[in-house]
Amino acid sequence: DGGITQSPKYLFRKEGQNVTLSCEQNLNHDAMYWYRQDPGQGLRLIYYSQIVNDFQKGDIAEGYSVSREKKESFPLTVTSAQKNPTAFYLCASSPVGGGSTDTQYFGPGTRLTVL
Amino acid sequence: AQSVSQHNHHVILSEAASLELGCNYSYGGTVNLFWYVQYPGQHLQLLLKYFSGDPLVKGIKGFEAEFIKSKFSFNLRKPSVQWSDTAEYFCAVNAGVDSNYQLIWGAGTKLIIKP
């Protein structure tokens, strides 16, 4: 089955802790993305990567970090510097980075709650 | 700030009613336009997209959307909705260099179809 997997589905974190969200794709896509979704708001881009070993900040990168060491993996770390981390996090991929007509394919999401 | 607006946050319809969900954007140049849908418990997925040619675009499950450049709009339509159309619908725009080749998302419209 081709697709994008995200784990865990639900994640609870204490204030002051860093936490890493996993995203894996087996679609052989070059580009991968992390979005944050809050109630009543659209998806907001946190980070994106158009190619292995390269990534760029999106609109709300503060308090987050990523790595792209392998084509199929794009983990997101939510650091203690993120002021309001409780949200639903979506990972996506697309065939080509920088393609303005590309369809993005999404994972099931991770719901992070900070206690 | 440039943006994507979905004016209806919640829509409730009866089965067989006609549907039109509004989407307006504020980018003045060339745009590529998308509608994504998230059915309950499923991944966000592409419904349809427009990037050139006929401004009336047909998508999956009987949906269509019309690009009206003069109105900066890309409204989603379906002549007769079904209970299975209950979902959240997102409009997104890639405005090329004006959006850094990334998707800018509307806030979403939650559609509930009463059986």
Side-chain angles (χ1 to χ4, degrees):
Chain A
D1 248 345
I4 301 178
T5 56
Q6 291 184 243
S7 61
K9 189 173 180 179
Y10 299 96
L11 188 55
F12 298 89
R13 189 196 90 177
K14 292 182 181 178
E15 278 195 38
Q17 288 181 337
N18 292 355
V19 64
T20 297
L21 282 58
S22 167
C23 177
E24 305 274 332
Q25 56 104 354
N26 61 5
L27 300 168
N28 200 34
H29 286 172
D30 283 332
M32 296 186 75
Y33 310 81
W34 274 105
Y35 292 96
R36 171 180 171 139
Q37 187 179 12
D38 294 285
Q41 297 190 43
L43 279 65
R44 291 183 291 166
L45 184 64
I46 304 172
Y47 268 98
Y48 64 101
S49 168
Q50 296 183 350
I51 198 165
V52 175
N53 292 322
D54 189 38
F55 49 83
Q56 286 80 40
K57 292 182 179 180
D59 299 323
I60 56 165
E62 186 176 348
Y64 300 97
S65 66
V66 293
S67 63
R68 186 88 187 276
E69 297 175 2
K70 298 187 293 182
K71 187 174 185 177
E72 59 270 23
S73 178
F74 191 41
L76 173 74
T77 296
V78 185
T79 76
S80 57
Q82 168 49 231
K83 299 268 187 278
N84 184 20
T86 294
F88 188 57
Y89 291 88
L90 282 168
C91 179
S93 70
S94 65
V96 177
S100 59
T101 63
D102 270 2
T103 297
Q104 291 187 11
Y105 297 81
F106 286 83
T110 292
R111 189 167 298 280
L112 173 64
T113 302
V114 174
L115 305 171
Chain B
Q2 305 203 72
S3 67
V4 178
S5 299
Q6 292 182 244
H7 306 294
N8 306 105
H9 296 296
H10 293 88
V11 173
I12 301 174
L13 294 172
S14 297
E15 275 194 315
S18 64
L19 170 71
E20 182 160 4
L21 300 182
C23 174
N24 287 91
Y25 59 91
S26 60
Y27 298 92
T30 300
V31 289
N32 299 295
L33 302 158
F34 302 77
W35 276 97
Y36 282 81
V37 60
Q38 188 166 31
Y39 297 104
Q42 295 188 28
H43 301 194
L44 197 61
Q45 61 184 283
L46 181 72
L47 196 55
L48 49 78
K49 67 180 180 181
Y50 170 82
F51 54 93
S52 66
D54 188 343
L56 185 62
V57 179
K58 295 194 185 300
I60 60 172
K61 304 190 178 184
F63 285 90
E64 64 179 29
E66 185 175 13
F67 170 48
I68 302 180
K69 190 173 182 178
S70 61
K71 294 186 177 180
F72 299 88
S73 71
F74 189 54
N75 291 355
L76 181 70
R77 302 195 293 246
K78 186 170 183 178
S80 176
V81 293
Q82 301 172 305
W83 177 78
S84 58
D85 294 324
T86 294
E88 189 161 17
Y89 293 81
F90 293 91
C91 180
V93 176
N94 187 316
V97 66
D98 290 340
S99 66
N100 200 26
Y101 296 96
Q102 299 307 314
L103 282 176
I104 308 301
W105 295 78
T109 297
K110 287 188 177 175
L111 174 65
I112 297 173
I113 306 300
K114 298 184 295 183

